[in-house]
Amino acid sequence: MNTAAAASDADWSQGAIPFERPAPSRFFVAHAALALGALLWLNWTIVHDVPLAIKGIGSSYLIFFYHFPSALNMGVAYTALMAFSVAYLRTKRPVWDRRARAAAEVGFLANAVLLLTGSTWAKAAWNAWWVWNDPRLMSAAVMSLVYVGYLMLESAIEEPQRRRQISAVYGILAFVNLPVVYYSIQWFGVASHPMKMDGMSDPAIKSAKWLSVLLFVPFYLLLYRWSYDRRTRAEHVEDVLQRVRRLEEKAA
Amino acid sequence: MTAPSELRLFRTLVAWDFLREMRRRTTLLSMGVMGVITLFLFSFAIRPEDAVLANTRAGILWVTFLLAATIGIDRAFRNDAESGVLEGLLLAPVGRATLYYARVTSTFLFVASLQALLLVLFLLLFNQEIPRATLAPMLAIVAATSLGFVAVGVLISAMTWSLPAGDVLLRILLFPMLLPVFNVAVEATDKAFAGRAPSWLHVGMICAFDLLFLGAGHLLFEHLVKDSGGRT
């Protein structure tokens, strides 16, 4: 970040208007939409060329190439949210709060995609959209509820400084769930969730798996940037509004 | 005159909070009534027959505990804030960690007293019994899990008391956070009802949950009560 932008962030809480004009949101939405289209098409091409259909479950294995990148991106986003929250509590710079909020939105989206793809696969493999005794499915669903709480908490507090402070503490507490999801199968015993499918050790599938991850990362990064800019603009407007109110009060 | 030690302040705060609530009894009474209502709701929602209860008794007990305890957790700061006591407490020269541990301890004492009553009531109303061999481990599991509930709950209560519809938000934030340890507690309690001791994995997970959130409270509670002009 350049010096001017850093200064604008530092001055924000004192009421200064940053001079860095945020990029228009349509730019990022268009790019994200394009990126999503491209990656879905690419992902489909890559995984369809994988020279085998995994035994026993037919073509439903294709979902895995959307499911796994979402899980990975969700983990990264929630870890980043925790790190940004710690950074906010240490520095009190509002920029970390905006980054944390953007990471929460991206993480939640990836979490939703993870649940949706997992549930679709469950219907194909287990003939049920939802299975209550699968610890990983359950813990991932619980984690999405924890982060819905984060987003609700953020919108429930009006005073900016207090909102940042409380959300940062909650962002750190919420992170406890990530290891629970990761180790859920070892800890909670019932192993109905596939740890790996037959044929997944095939080099072609392995490289397709990591290529899917590479395709999804820019998409989630774009979404992160879009969400961050949206937040920056909202705070900008809030800031201007507060200053106008103060001027009105003075004039009255 | 020397300043009192943090340990002495802690003891004073716990005794003051506990005795005050015991005299006023409103929180304890609300928690108790909520617990009884939940037990009655379960008696209508499921057929309380032996075959059904064998699979559901631990769950019924923990849902009752959770719903009743949440009332006490919600009031951990709300009562004091409404009466202006909290502002005085925050101005007093008490360490924030001491304040947190004192509030956790006093809330835990209400919750544990209430759970003892609700457990007896549950055993009587649903005609259940706990084998003598597993009674002590089960009580230890209940106490350790409740300590975890309260450790997280007090932190979230400090976040939500001043918000519009803060009591609803408290439940939305608290319940998902508690679900992993709730799951373990139900399993361990179920085993205890069946006369089997809880596994070390369960005990370890509950203790780890408690330590993790007590440690988090120690580090993070001050961020919830400072820079807020005397408001938590």
Side-chain angles (χ1 to χ4, degrees), chain A residues 89-90 92 142 145-146 148-150 152-153 156-159 161-162 165-166 169-170 172-174 176-177 180 186-188, chain B residues 155-156 158-160 162-164 169 172-173 176-177 179-180 183-184 201 205 212-213 216 220 223-224 226-228 231-232:
Chain A
L89 289 181
R90 288 178 72 94
K92 297 289 184 296
V142 167
L145 293 177
V146 169
V148 164
Y150 178 90
M152 285 179 74
L153 186 66
I157 311 171
E158 280 188 17
E159 191 192 324
Q161 197 186 350
R162 187 154 167 71
Q165 195 97 340
I166 291 182
V169 172
Y170 188 76
I172 297 169
L173 292 181
V176 172
N177 278 278
V180 173
Q186 286 95 316
W187 289 348
F188 298 109
Chain B
L155 276 177
I156 294 184
M159 293 177 190
T160 55
S162 64
L163 306 178
L169 200 57
I172 291 176
L173 299 179
M177 203 75 104
L179 280 175
N183 178 30
V184 175
L201 180 69
M205 281 165 76
L212 193 71
F213 281 103
L220 298 173
H223 293 289
L224 294 173
K226 75 175 181 187
D227 297 342
S228 53
R231 291 196 315 146
T232 60

Short mmCIF file of all heavy atoms in Angstrom, two decimals, chain A residues 89-90 92 142 145-146 148-150 152-153 156-159 161-162 165-166 169-170 172-174 176-177 180 186-188, chain B residues 155-156 158-160 162-164 169 172-173 176-177 179-180 183-184 201 205 212-213 216 220 223-224 226-228 231-232:
data_model
loop_
_atom_site.label_atom_id
_atom_site.label_comp_id
_atom_site.label_asym_id
_atom_site.label_seq_id
_atom_site.Cartn_x
_atom_site.Cartn_y
_atom_site.Cartn_z
N LEU A 89 -6.81 -5.60 16.45
CA LEU A 89 -6.72 -5.39 17.91
C LEU A 89 -5.33 -4.84 18.30
O LEU A 89 -5.21 -4.09 19.26
CB LEU A 89 -7.00 -6.68 18.66
CG LEU A 89 -8.46 -7.15 18.63
CD1 LEU A 89 -8.62 -8.43 19.42
CD2 LEU A 89 -9.41 -6.09 19.16
N ARG A 90 -4.31 -5.21 17.55
CA ARG A 90 -2.96 -4.72 17.87
C ARG A 90 -2.73 -3.29 17.39
O ARG A 90 -2.11 -2.50 18.06
CB ARG A 90 -1.91 -5.64 17.23
CG ARG A 90 -1.82 -6.99 17.92
CD ARG A 90 -0.81 -7.86 17.23
NE ARG A 90 0.54 -7.39 17.50
CZ ARG A 90 1.31 -7.86 18.47
NH1 ARG A 90 0.87 -8.83 19.22
NH2 ARG A 90 2.52 -7.39 18.67
N LYS A 92 -5.29 -1.13 15.81
CA LYS A 92 -6.50 -0.27 15.80
C LYS A 92 -6.66 0.48 14.48
O LYS A 92 -7.29 1.53 14.43
CB LYS A 92 -6.48 0.74 16.96
CG LYS A 92 -6.50 0.10 18.33
CD LYS A 92 -7.86 -0.51 18.62
CE LYS A 92 -7.99 -1.09 19.98
NZ LYS A 92 -7.13 -2.21 20.30
N VAL A 142 -22.19 -26.05 10.95
CA VAL A 142 -22.14 -25.27 12.19
C VAL A 142 -21.21 -24.07 12.00
O VAL A 142 -21.51 -22.96 12.44
CB VAL A 142 -21.66 -26.17 13.36
CG1 VAL A 142 -21.30 -25.32 14.57
CG2 VAL A 142 -22.74 -27.17 13.73
N LEU A 145 -22.85 -21.26 10.39
CA LEU A 145 -23.72 -20.54 11.32
C LEU A 145 -22.91 -19.58 12.19
O LEU A 145 -23.35 -18.46 12.48
CB LEU A 145 -24.48 -21.52 12.23
CG LEU A 145 -25.51 -22.41 11.55
CD1 LEU A 145 -26.12 -23.38 12.54
CD2 LEU A 145 -26.61 -21.56 10.93
N VAL A 146 -21.71 -20.03 12.59
CA VAL A 146 -20.84 -19.17 13.41
C VAL A 146 -20.51 -17.89 12.63
O VAL A 146 -20.56 -16.78 13.18
CB VAL A 146 -19.55 -19.92 13.81
CG1 VAL A 146 -18.53 -18.97 14.41
CG2 VAL A 146 -19.86 -21.03 14.79
N VAL A 148 -22.20 -16.65 10.01
CA VAL A 148 -23.42 -15.84 9.82
C VAL A 148 -23.54 -14.90 11.03
O VAL A 148 -23.85 -13.72 10.89
CB VAL A 148 -24.68 -16.73 9.72
CG1 VAL A 148 -25.94 -15.92 9.90
CG2 VAL A 148 -24.74 -17.43 8.39
N GLY A 149 -23.24 -15.46 12.20
CA GLY A 149 -23.24 -14.66 13.43
C GLY A 149 -22.29 -13.48 13.32
O GLY A 149 -22.63 -12.36 13.69
N TYR A 150 -21.10 -13.72 12.75
CA TYR A 150 -20.12 -12.64 12.58
C TYR A 150 -20.71 -11.52 11.71
O TYR A 150 -20.63 -10.34 12.04
CB TYR A 150 -18.85 -13.20 11.93
CG TYR A 150 -17.79 -12.16 11.66
CD1 TYR A 150 -16.82 -11.85 12.61
CD2 TYR A 150 -17.76 -11.45 10.45
CE1 TYR A 150 -15.86 -10.89 12.37
CE2 TYR A 150 -16.80 -10.49 10.20
CZ TYR A 150 -15.86 -10.21 11.16
OH TYR A 150 -14.90 -9.25 10.92
N MET A 152 -23.85 -10.89 11.10
CA MET A 152 -24.98 -10.25 11.78
C MET A 152 -24.49 -9.27 12.84
O MET A 152 -25.03 -8.18 13.00
CB MET A 152 -25.88 -11.30 12.44
CG MET A 152 -26.72 -12.04 11.43
SD MET A 152 -27.72 -13.29 12.24
CE MET A 152 -28.95 -12.27 13.02
N LEU A 153 -23.46 -9.69 13.57
CA LEU A 153 -22.90 -8.84 14.62
C LEU A 153 -22.37 -7.55 14.02
O LEU A 153 -22.61 -6.45 14.55
CB LEU A 153 -21.76 -9.60 15.32
CG LEU A 153 -21.14 -8.97 16.54
CD1 LEU A 153 -22.15 -8.89 17.68
CD2 LEU A 153 -19.93 -9.77 17.01
N ALA A 156 -25.13 -5.25 13.28
CA ALA A 156 -25.99 -4.86 14.41
C ALA A 156 -25.42 -3.69 15.20
O ALA A 156 -26.15 -3.04 15.94
CB ALA A 156 -26.20 -6.05 15.33
N ILE A 157 -24.12 -3.42 15.07
CA ILE A 157 -23.50 -2.38 15.89
C ILE A 157 -23.29 -1.13 15.05
O ILE A 157 -22.64 -1.20 14.00
CB ILE A 157 -22.14 -2.85 16.48
CG1 ILE A 157 -22.31 -4.23 17.13
CG2 ILE A 157 -21.61 -1.86 17.50
CD1 ILE A 157 -21.03 -4.90 17.53
N GLU A 158 -23.81 0.00 15.51
CA GLU A 158 -23.73 1.21 14.69
C GLU A 158 -22.44 1.98 14.91
O GLU A 158 -21.83 2.45 13.96
CB GLU A 158 -24.93 2.10 14.98
CG GLU A 158 -26.16 1.63 14.23
CD GLU A 158 -27.30 2.59 14.32
OE1 GLU A 158 -27.08 3.75 14.69
OE2 GLU A 158 -28.43 2.15 14.05
N GLU A 159 -22.02 2.10 16.16
CA GLU A 159 -20.83 2.91 16.45
C GLU A 159 -19.59 2.22 15.86
O GLU A 159 -19.27 1.08 16.23
CB GLU A 159 -20.69 3.01 17.98
CG GLU A 159 -19.67 4.02 18.43
CD GLU A 159 -19.39 3.84 19.91
OE1 GLU A 159 -20.34 3.51 20.67
OE2 GLU A 159 -18.24 4.00 20.30
N GLN A 161 -16.24 2.34 15.95
CA GLN A 161 -15.09 1.84 16.71
C GLN A 161 -15.46 0.60 17.52
O GLN A 161 -14.72 -0.38 17.59
CB GLN A 161 -14.58 2.93 17.63
CG GLN A 161 -13.19 2.63 18.14
CD GLN A 161 -12.73 3.64 19.16
OE1 GLN A 161 -13.36 4.67 19.37
NE2 GLN A 161 -11.63 3.34 19.82
N ARG A 162 -16.65 0.65 18.11
CA ARG A 162 -17.11 -0.48 18.91
C ARG A 162 -17.38 -1.71 18.03
O ARG A 162 -17.11 -2.84 18.40
CB ARG A 162 -18.38 -0.04 19.67
CG ARG A 162 -18.85 -1.06 20.63
CD ARG A 162 -19.64 -0.48 21.77
NE ARG A 162 -20.30 -1.55 22.49
CZ ARG A 162 -19.69 -2.42 23.23
NH1 ARG A 162 -18.39 -2.37 23.39
NH2 ARG A 162 -20.35 -3.39 23.83
N GLN A 165 -14.09 -3.31 17.16
CA GLN A 165 -13.50 -3.96 18.33
C GLN A 165 -14.18 -5.32 18.60
O GLN A 165 -13.53 -6.35 18.74
CB GLN A 165 -13.73 -3.02 19.52
CG GLN A 165 -12.91 -3.34 20.71
CD GLN A 165 -11.65 -2.48 20.73
OE1 GLN A 165 -11.24 -1.93 19.71
NE2 GLN A 165 -11.04 -2.38 21.88
N ILE A 166 -15.52 -5.29 18.64
CA ILE A 166 -16.27 -6.50 18.99
C ILE A 166 -16.14 -7.55 17.88
O ILE A 166 -15.93 -8.73 18.14
CB ILE A 166 -17.75 -6.16 19.26
CG1 ILE A 166 -17.83 -5.36 20.56
CG2 ILE A 166 -18.60 -7.40 19.34
CD1 ILE A 166 -19.22 -4.99 20.98
N VAL A 169 -12.85 -9.38 18.11
CA VAL A 169 -12.82 -10.40 19.16
C VAL A 169 -13.60 -11.65 18.71
O VAL A 169 -13.12 -12.77 18.83
CB VAL A 169 -13.39 -9.84 20.49
CG1 VAL A 169 -13.54 -10.94 21.52
CG2 VAL A 169 -12.50 -8.73 21.03
N TYR A 170 -14.77 -11.42 18.14
CA TYR A 170 -15.59 -12.56 17.69
C TYR A 170 -14.90 -13.31 16.54
O TYR A 170 -14.96 -14.54 16.47
CB TYR A 170 -16.98 -12.08 17.26
CG TYR A 170 -17.92 -13.23 16.99
CD1 TYR A 170 -18.50 -13.94 18.04
CD2 TYR A 170 -18.22 -13.62 15.69
CE1 TYR A 170 -19.34 -15.01 17.79
CE2 TYR A 170 -19.07 -14.69 15.43
CZ TYR A 170 -19.62 -15.37 16.48
OH TYR A 170 -20.46 -16.44 16.24
N ILE A 172 -11.80 -13.77 16.15
CA ILE A 172 -10.76 -14.64 16.72
C ILE A 172 -11.40 -15.88 17.37
O ILE A 172 -10.96 -17.00 17.16
CB ILE A 172 -9.89 -13.87 17.73
CG1 ILE A 172 -9.16 -12.74 17.01
CG2 ILE A 172 -8.91 -14.78 18.43
CD1 ILE A 172 -8.48 -11.74 17.92
N LEU A 173 -12.48 -15.64 18.13
CA LEU A 173 -13.16 -16.78 18.79
C LEU A 173 -13.70 -17.78 17.77
O LEU A 173 -13.62 -18.99 17.96
CB LEU A 173 -14.33 -16.27 19.64
CG LEU A 173 -14.04 -15.45 20.89
CD1 LEU A 173 -15.33 -15.09 21.59
CD2 LEU A 173 -13.13 -16.21 21.86
N ALA A 174 -14.26 -17.23 16.67
CA ALA A 174 -14.90 -18.10 15.67
C ALA A 174 -13.90 -19.04 15.01
O ALA A 174 -14.26 -20.13 14.57
CB ALA A 174 -15.58 -17.22 14.61
N VAL A 176 -11.84 -20.94 16.18
CA VAL A 176 -11.71 -22.23 16.88
C VAL A 176 -12.42 -23.34 16.09
O VAL A 176 -12.03 -24.51 16.15
CB VAL A 176 -12.33 -22.10 18.30
CG1 VAL A 176 -12.42 -23.43 19.00
CG2 VAL A 176 -11.50 -21.12 19.12
N ASN A 177 -13.43 -22.97 15.33
CA ASN A 177 -14.20 -23.98 14.59
C ASN A 177 -13.44 -24.63 13.44
O ASN A 177 -13.80 -25.73 13.03
CB ASN A 177 -15.48 -23.35 14.04
CG ASN A 177 -16.54 -23.30 15.10
OD1 ASN A 177 -17.22 -24.28 15.33
ND2 ASN A 177 -16.62 -22.18 15.79
N VAL A 180 -11.85 -27.81 14.29
CA VAL A 180 -12.93 -28.78 14.59
C VAL A 180 -13.41 -29.43 13.30
O VAL A 180 -13.59 -30.64 13.22
CB VAL A 180 -14.10 -28.10 15.35
CG1 VAL A 180 -15.26 -29.07 15.51
CG2 VAL A 180 -13.64 -27.60 16.71
N GLN A 186 -11.72 -37.58 12.70
CA GLN A 186 -10.91 -38.29 13.71
C GLN A 186 -11.55 -38.17 15.09
O GLN A 186 -11.56 -39.11 15.86
CB GLN A 186 -9.49 -37.70 13.79
CG GLN A 186 -8.59 -38.06 12.62
CD GLN A 186 -8.61 -36.98 11.54
OE1 GLN A 186 -9.67 -36.47 11.20
NE2 GLN A 186 -7.46 -36.65 11.01
N TRP A 187 -12.09 -36.97 15.41
CA TRP A 187 -12.60 -36.74 16.77
C TRP A 187 -13.99 -37.34 16.99
O TRP A 187 -14.29 -37.84 18.06
CB TRP A 187 -12.66 -35.24 17.06
CG TRP A 187 -11.31 -34.61 17.23
CD1 TRP A 187 -10.11 -35.26 17.35
CD2 TRP A 187 -11.02 -33.21 17.27
NE1 TRP A 187 -9.10 -34.33 17.46
CE2 TRP A 187 -9.62 -33.08 17.43
CE3 TRP A 187 -11.79 -32.04 17.20
CZ2 TRP A 187 -8.99 -31.84 17.52
CZ3 TRP A 187 -11.17 -30.82 17.29
CH2 TRP A 187 -9.78 -30.71 17.45
N PHE A 188 -14.85 -37.21 15.98
CA PHE A 188 -16.24 -37.60 16.22
C PHE A 188 -16.59 -38.96 15.63
O PHE A 188 -17.75 -39.35 15.61
CB PHE A 188 -17.20 -36.52 15.74
CG PHE A 188 -17.01 -35.21 16.47
CD1 PHE A 188 -16.46 -34.11 15.84
CD2 PHE A 188 -17.35 -35.09 17.80
CE1 PHE A 188 -16.26 -32.92 16.52
CE2 PHE A 188 -17.16 -33.91 18.48
CZ PHE A 188 -16.61 -32.81 17.85
N LEU B 155 -18.14 -13.91 27.53
CA LEU B 155 -17.52 -13.07 26.48
C LEU B 155 -18.57 -12.55 25.51
O LEU B 155 -18.58 -11.36 25.17
CB LEU B 155 -16.50 -13.91 25.69
CG LEU B 155 -15.11 -14.05 26.27
CD1 LEU B 155 -14.28 -14.98 25.40
CD2 LEU B 155 -14.43 -12.70 26.38
N ILE B 156 -19.46 -13.44 25.08
CA ILE B 156 -20.47 -13.01 24.10
C ILE B 156 -21.49 -12.08 24.75
O ILE B 156 -21.97 -11.14 24.12
CB ILE B 156 -21.10 -14.24 23.42
CG1 ILE B 156 -20.00 -14.93 22.61
CG2 ILE B 156 -22.26 -13.85 22.53
CD1 ILE B 156 -20.40 -16.09 21.82
N ALA B 158 -20.77 -9.91 26.99
CA ALA B 158 -20.12 -8.59 27.01
C ALA B 158 -20.18 -7.91 25.64
O ALA B 158 -20.11 -6.70 25.55
CB ALA B 158 -18.66 -8.73 27.45
N MET B 159 -20.33 -8.72 24.58
CA MET B 159 -20.43 -8.13 23.24
C MET B 159 -21.84 -7.63 22.95
O MET B 159 -22.02 -6.66 22.24
CB MET B 159 -20.14 -9.20 22.17
CG MET B 159 -18.74 -9.71 22.14
SD MET B 159 -18.64 -11.00 20.87
CE MET B 159 -17.03 -11.63 21.22
N THR B 160 -22.84 -8.32 23.48
CA THR B 160 -24.20 -8.11 22.99
C THR B 160 -25.13 -7.33 23.91
O THR B 160 -26.20 -6.91 23.46
CB THR B 160 -24.89 -9.46 22.70
OG1 THR B 160 -24.81 -10.26 23.88
CG2 THR B 160 -24.24 -10.19 21.55
N SER B 162 -25.44 -4.42 25.05
CA SER B 162 -25.87 -3.05 24.75
C SER B 162 -26.55 -2.92 23.40
O SER B 162 -26.98 -1.84 23.02
CB SER B 162 -24.65 -2.13 24.80
OG SER B 162 -23.76 -2.50 23.77
N LEU B 163 -26.65 -4.02 22.65
CA LEU B 163 -27.20 -3.93 21.30
C LEU B 163 -28.71 -4.08 21.29
O LEU B 163 -29.27 -4.74 22.16
CB LEU B 163 -26.60 -5.04 20.42
CG LEU B 163 -25.08 -5.10 20.37
CD1 LEU B 163 -24.63 -6.26 19.51
CD2 LEU B 163 -24.52 -3.80 19.84
N PRO B 164 -29.38 -3.48 20.30
CA PRO B 164 -30.81 -3.72 20.17
C PRO B 164 -31.02 -5.21 19.87
O PRO B 164 -30.30 -5.77 19.05
CB PRO B 164 -31.23 -2.83 18.99
CG PRO B 164 -29.99 -2.29 18.39
CD PRO B 164 -28.85 -2.55 19.29
N LEU B 169 -29.40 -11.93 19.72
CA LEU B 169 -28.09 -12.06 19.09
C LEU B 169 -27.17 -12.94 19.92
O LEU B 169 -26.39 -13.73 19.39
CB LEU B 169 -27.49 -10.67 18.90
CG LEU B 169 -26.38 -10.55 17.86
CD1 LEU B 169 -26.84 -11.02 16.50
CD2 LEU B 169 -25.88 -9.12 17.75
N ILE B 172 -27.86 -16.42 19.01
CA ILE B 172 -27.41 -16.72 17.64
C ILE B 172 -25.89 -16.89 17.61
O ILE B 172 -25.36 -17.74 16.89
CB ILE B 172 -27.86 -15.59 16.67
CG1 ILE B 172 -29.37 -15.64 16.50
CG2 ILE B 172 -27.17 -15.70 15.32
CD1 ILE B 172 -29.95 -14.53 15.67
N LEU B 173 -25.18 -16.10 18.41
CA LEU B 173 -23.72 -16.20 18.42
C LEU B 173 -23.24 -17.35 19.28
O LEU B 173 -22.25 -18.01 18.97
CB LEU B 173 -23.10 -14.90 18.93
CG LEU B 173 -23.38 -13.61 18.16
CD1 LEU B 173 -22.70 -12.44 18.83
CD2 LEU B 173 -22.90 -13.72 16.73
N PRO B 176 -24.10 -21.81 18.09
CA PRO B 176 -23.20 -22.52 17.16
C PRO B 176 -21.80 -22.70 17.74
O PRO B 176 -21.15 -23.72 17.50
CB PRO B 176 -23.14 -21.60 15.94
CG PRO B 176 -24.30 -20.71 16.04
CD PRO B 176 -24.62 -20.57 17.50
N MET B 177 -21.36 -21.72 18.54
CA MET B 177 -20.02 -21.81 19.13
C MET B 177 -19.94 -22.98 20.11
O MET B 177 -18.89 -23.59 20.29
CB MET B 177 -19.75 -20.49 19.85
CG MET B 177 -18.32 -20.17 20.03
SD MET B 177 -17.58 -19.62 18.52
CE MET B 177 -17.50 -17.89 18.81
N LEU B 179 -21.82 -25.79 19.94
CA LEU B 179 -22.28 -27.09 19.42
C LEU B 179 -21.24 -28.21 19.47
O LEU B 179 -21.60 -29.34 19.84
CB LEU B 179 -22.84 -26.92 18.00
CG LEU B 179 -24.28 -26.39 17.98
CD1 LEU B 179 -24.74 -26.13 16.55
CD2 LEU B 179 -25.24 -27.36 18.64
N PRO B 180 -19.96 -27.96 19.12
CA PRO B 180 -19.00 -29.08 19.20
C PRO B 180 -18.91 -29.69 20.60
O PRO B 180 -18.96 -30.91 20.76
CB PRO B 180 -17.67 -28.45 18.78
CG PRO B 180 -18.05 -27.25 17.98
CD PRO B 180 -19.33 -26.75 18.57
N ASN B 183 -22.11 -31.54 21.62
CA ASN B 183 -22.15 -32.88 21.02
C ASN B 183 -21.37 -33.88 21.88
O ASN B 183 -21.84 -34.98 22.18
CB ASN B 183 -21.56 -32.77 19.60
CG ASN B 183 -21.51 -34.09 18.89
OD1 ASN B 183 -22.34 -34.97 19.14
ND2 ASN B 183 -20.53 -34.26 18.03
N VAL B 184 -20.17 -33.47 22.30
CA VAL B 184 -19.32 -34.35 23.11
C VAL B 184 -19.99 -34.61 24.47
O VAL B 184 -20.02 -35.75 24.95
CB VAL B 184 -17.93 -33.69 23.32
CG1 VAL B 184 -17.09 -34.53 24.26
CG2 VAL B 184 -17.22 -33.51 21.99
N LEU B 201 -11.01 -39.37 25.35
CA LEU B 201 -11.07 -38.40 24.24
C LEU B 201 -12.12 -37.33 24.56
O LEU B 201 -11.88 -36.13 24.40
CB LEU B 201 -11.43 -39.12 22.93
CG LEU B 201 -11.52 -38.22 21.70
CD1 LEU B 201 -10.13 -37.70 21.31
CD2 LEU B 201 -12.14 -38.95 20.52
N MET B 205 -11.39 -33.44 25.22
CA MET B 205 -11.97 -32.41 24.35
C MET B 205 -12.70 -31.34 25.17
O MET B 205 -12.59 -30.14 24.88
CB MET B 205 -12.91 -33.05 23.33
CG MET B 205 -12.15 -33.68 22.18
SD MET B 205 -13.15 -34.78 21.22
CE MET B 205 -14.09 -33.65 20.29
N LEU B 212 -9.18 -23.43 26.33
CA LEU B 212 -9.06 -22.55 25.16
C LEU B 212 -9.86 -21.26 25.35
O LEU B 212 -9.36 -20.15 25.15
CB LEU B 212 -9.58 -23.31 23.94
CG LEU B 212 -9.27 -22.71 22.59
CD1 LEU B 212 -7.79 -22.86 22.31
CD2 LEU B 212 -10.06 -23.41 21.51
N PHE B 213 -11.11 -21.42 25.80
CA PHE B 213 -11.96 -20.23 25.90
C PHE B 213 -11.67 -19.41 27.16
O PHE B 213 -11.83 -18.19 27.14
CB PHE B 213 -13.44 -20.59 25.78
CG PHE B 213 -13.82 -20.79 24.34
CD1 PHE B 213 -13.98 -22.06 23.81
CD2 PHE B 213 -13.97 -19.71 23.50
CE1 PHE B 213 -14.30 -22.24 22.47
CE2 PHE B 213 -14.28 -19.88 22.16
CZ PHE B 213 -14.45 -21.15 21.64
N ALA B 216 -8.76 -17.51 25.98
CA ALA B 216 -9.20 -16.46 25.04
C ALA B 216 -9.83 -15.30 25.82
O ALA B 216 -9.59 -14.13 25.52
CB ALA B 216 -10.18 -17.04 24.04
N LEU B 220 -8.73 -11.56 25.58
CA LEU B 220 -9.59 -10.71 24.74
C LEU B 220 -10.60 -9.86 25.50
O LEU B 220 -11.12 -8.90 24.96
CB LEU B 220 -10.34 -11.59 23.72
CG LEU B 220 -9.46 -12.35 22.73
CD1 LEU B 220 -10.30 -13.29 21.88
CD2 LEU B 220 -8.72 -11.38 21.82
N HIS B 223 -10.35 -6.13 25.50
CA HIS B 223 -10.71 -5.42 24.27
C HIS B 223 -12.21 -5.14 24.18
O HIS B 223 -12.64 -4.29 23.41
CB HIS B 223 -10.28 -6.24 23.04
CG HIS B 223 -8.79 -6.35 22.93
ND1 HIS B 223 -7.99 -5.29 22.57
CD2 HIS B 223 -7.95 -7.38 23.18
CE1 HIS B 223 -6.73 -5.68 22.58
NE2 HIS B 223 -6.68 -6.94 22.94
N LEU B 224 -13.00 -5.90 24.94
CA LEU B 224 -14.44 -5.68 24.91
C LEU B 224 -14.86 -4.58 25.88
O LEU B 224 -15.96 -4.06 25.79
CB LEU B 224 -15.18 -6.97 25.27
CG LEU B 224 -15.05 -8.12 24.27
CD1 LEU B 224 -15.69 -9.38 24.83
CD2 LEU B 224 -15.67 -7.74 22.95
N LYS B 226 -12.57 -1.92 26.98
CA LYS B 226 -11.84 -0.64 26.93
C LYS B 226 -12.22 0.15 25.67
O LYS B 226 -12.89 -0.37 24.79
CB LYS B 226 -10.34 -0.86 27.01
CG LYS B 226 -9.69 -1.37 25.77
CD LYS B 226 -8.19 -1.41 25.96
CE LYS B 226 -7.54 -1.92 24.71
NZ LYS B 226 -6.13 -2.13 24.85
N ASP B 227 -11.77 1.39 25.62
CA ASP B 227 -12.06 2.28 24.48
C ASP B 227 -13.55 2.44 24.24
O ASP B 227 -14.00 2.53 23.12
CB ASP B 227 -11.42 1.78 23.17
CG ASP B 227 -9.92 1.75 23.26
OD1 ASP B 227 -9.39 2.42 24.17
OD2 ASP B 227 -9.30 1.06 22.44
N SER B 228 -14.34 2.32 25.29
CA SER B 228 -15.78 2.42 25.04
C SER B 228 -16.43 3.40 26.01
O SER B 228 -17.63 3.34 26.24
CB SER B 228 -16.42 1.03 25.18
OG SER B 228 -16.09 0.48 26.41
N ARG B 231 -18.41 1.88 28.72
CA ARG B 231 -19.40 0.87 28.36
C ARG B 231 -18.67 -0.39 27.97
O ARG B 231 -17.62 -0.32 27.37
CB ARG B 231 -20.24 1.34 27.16
CG ARG B 231 -21.13 2.48 27.49
CD ARG B 231 -22.17 2.63 26.44
NE ARG B 231 -21.60 2.53 25.11
CZ ARG B 231 -22.23 2.01 24.09
NH1 ARG B 231 -23.41 1.49 24.24
NH2 ARG B 231 -21.69 1.97 22.91
N THR B 232 -19.24 -1.53 28.29
CA THR B 232 -18.56 -2.75 27.83
C THR B 232 -18.96 -2.97 26.40
O THR B 232 -19.95 -2.50 25.94
CB THR B 232 -18.98 -3.99 28.63
OG1 THR B 232 -20.35 -4.15 28.49
CG2 THR B 232 -18.54 -3.87 30.04
#
